[in-house]
Amino acid sequence: METALPAAGFLYWVGASTVAYLALRISCWFFTALRVWGLGHEAGVGPWLGEWAVVTGGTDGIGKSYAEELAKRGMKIVLISRSQDKLDQVSSEISEKFKVETKTIAVDFTSEDIYDKIKASLAGLNIGVLVNNVGMSYEYPEYFLDIPDLDNTIKKLITVNALSVCKMTRLVLPGMVERSKGAILNISSASGMYPVPLLTIYSATKAFVDFFSQCLHEEYKSKGIIVQSVLPYYVATKLAKIKRPTWDKPSPETFVKSAMKTIGVQSRTNGYPIHSLMASVSASLPSWLYFKITMYSGNSIRVRYLKKMKKN
């Protein structure tokens, strides 16, 4: 009986400490959510940073929504993407709707020899905002060695997801530093916050974007430059193969309107309140449980996709 009393006391304090820790985490999350999304502050970007905003992958999804939100704030827009037809269509829509000047640059980001063309096209522009949004993922979750056309997939994902961020930043950052103002918004992914098996290359390249952004922000914040890493969970886009938005999978328009509020407030953001909560939950899981859930989810999607392909 005497030995049971100290053990009970120990368990009591373990339980109390756990509850206090969880309460503190929940309180911190609610405080952050209120500060970022609930106070109605203005987005930290606009023409005062520079006349032009450059958006890669700007004809669909998140990129197009960023272009529209920046145009709404009076910024002139440079859209960079692969299809000239899509570029012309989106450019026309933005210029007519928001009464701003637009430019287009048609390049394929899977190629490495495009940056001289981009540099020439951007020459002389007062660029205040760069949105590094272009990206690509797997067709479906798959084990590394079983990825179709593996060697080509490795090259494409690294070139599009990682190299483009470095190269575009290299082109635009010097002008921002010279003027001591500017914002670079790098669209990473929640897959870059924690390793995601069965999306191994995608997850790793997005982790690169996140680390690159954090380092760059620390290097240049004293020079008046904002560098933000944006880490969304699923958004209803073509890339995610989600057609209808839901409460946890918002439309690109809804996501970007929310994410814009975090610029100048958070240098690393999930961009959307529900996604922020999901990230907090993931962070609280022990690694073995996180990987078990992630593998189960990825394998479920993989099996469904392969069954569908066999039927077709």
Side-chain angles (χ1 to χ4, degrees):
M1 186 68 181
E2 291 178 358
T3 59
L5 289 174
F10 173 75
L11 292 174
Y12 168 81
W13 285 111
V14 168
S17 298
T18 301
V19 171
Y21 171 75
L22 292 174
L24 180 62
R25 286 201 64 132
I26 292 170
S27 298
C28 287
W29 182 86
F30 276 112
F31 174 77
T32 300
L34 177 64
R35 179 173 65 91
V36 175
W37 290 289
L39 297 181
H41 52 76
E42 288 295 318
V45 292
W48 58 87
L49 294 177
E51 293 177 289
W52 289 88
V54 177
V55 184
T56 68
T59 56
D60 289 299
I62 290 174
K64 181 181 178 183
S65 293
Y66 265 106
E68 291 175 339
E69 283 295 319
L70 291 166
K72 188 186 295 183
R73 287 162 172 75
M75 299 195 75
K76 301 174 183 178
I77 305 296
V78 181
L79 299 170
I80 310 179
S81 192
R82 182 174 54 183
S83 168
Q84 187 64 60
D85 288 342
K86 280 189 175 181
L87 284 166
D88 290 340
Q89 179 185 340
V90 175
S91 173
S92 177
E93 290 174 3
I94 289 175
S95 61
E96 289 178 12
K97 184 175 182 180
F98 301 105
K99 310 303 179 187
V100 297
E101 186 178 345
T102 59
K103 286 174 62 75
T104 66
I105 307 173
V107 292
D108 185 348
F109 278 99
T110 61
S111 300
E112 297 181 33
D113 59 354
I114 60 174
Y115 295 98
D116 285 342
K117 177 181 177 179
I118 295 173
K119 181 178 181 180
S121 299
L122 297 180
L125 300 185
N126 182 359
I127 298 169
V129 178
L130 168 64
V131 183
N132 280 313
N133 166 74
V134 68
M136 65 181 298
S137 186
Y138 292 16
E139 187 68 20
Y140 64 98
E142 185 55 279
Y143 291 84
F144 179 71
L145 292 179
D146 295 329
I147 296 169
D149 194 12
L150 177 57
D151 288 337
N152 195 36
T153 299
I154 291 171
K155 182 179 179 181
K156 281 186 174 182
L157 263 69
I158 292 174
T159 302
V160 175
N161 294 352
L163 181 66
S164 71
V165 174
C166 296
K167 288 284 195 176
M168 290 302 303
T169 300
R170 171 69 183 90
L171 293 180
V172 172
L173 183 58
M176 293 180 173
V177 171
E178 186 178 337
R179 298 187 306 275
S180 298
K181 55 185 177 181
I184 298 174
L185 314 179
N186 293 327
I187 312 306
S188 178
S189 166
S191 300
M193 297 180 71
Y194 315 105
V196 180
L198 303 182
L199 290 177
T200 300
I201 309 170
Y202 178 76
S203 178
T205 57
K206 289 301 185 179
F208 171 86
V209 174
D210 183 35
F211 273 50
F212 178 79
S213 303
Q214 292 183 67
C215 293
L216 207 66
H217 180 72
E218 291 303 317
E219 289 177 8
Y220 288 97
K221 65 182 181 181
S222 64
K223 301 182 185 298
I225 314 298
I226 296 169
V227 182
Q228 185 184 60
S229 177
V230 185
L231 303 126
Y233 281 78
Y234 284 117
V235 177
T237 64
K238 290 181 181 178
L239 180 67
K241 297 181 177 64
I242 299 171
K243 295 180 180 179
R244 296 181 180 179
T246 60
W247 65 276
D248 62 329
K249 302 176 184 67
S251 68
E253 296 82 6
T254 298
F255 174 80
V256 171
K257 283 180 182 178
S258 174
M260 290 286 286
K261 297 176 182 179
T262 70
I263 300 171
V265 180
Q266 290 182 309
S267 62
R268 189 170 186 257
T269 182
N270 296 109
Y272 184 65
I274 301 300
H275 290 185
S276 178
L277 179 60
M278 292 165 68
S280 295
V281 171
S282 294
S284 68
L285 296 175
S287 60
W288 67 266
L289 179 57
Y290 166 79
F291 280 118
K292 192 175 185 65
I293 293 170
T294 307
M295 280 294 291
Y296 175 81
S297 175
N299 261 318
S300 297
I301 297 171
R302 174 179 175 271
V303 168
R304 289 198 301 271
Y305 177 88
L306 292 176
K307 281 183 178 179
K308 183 179 178 181
M309 289 298 101
K310 283 183 179 180
K311 289 180 181 179
N312 295 337

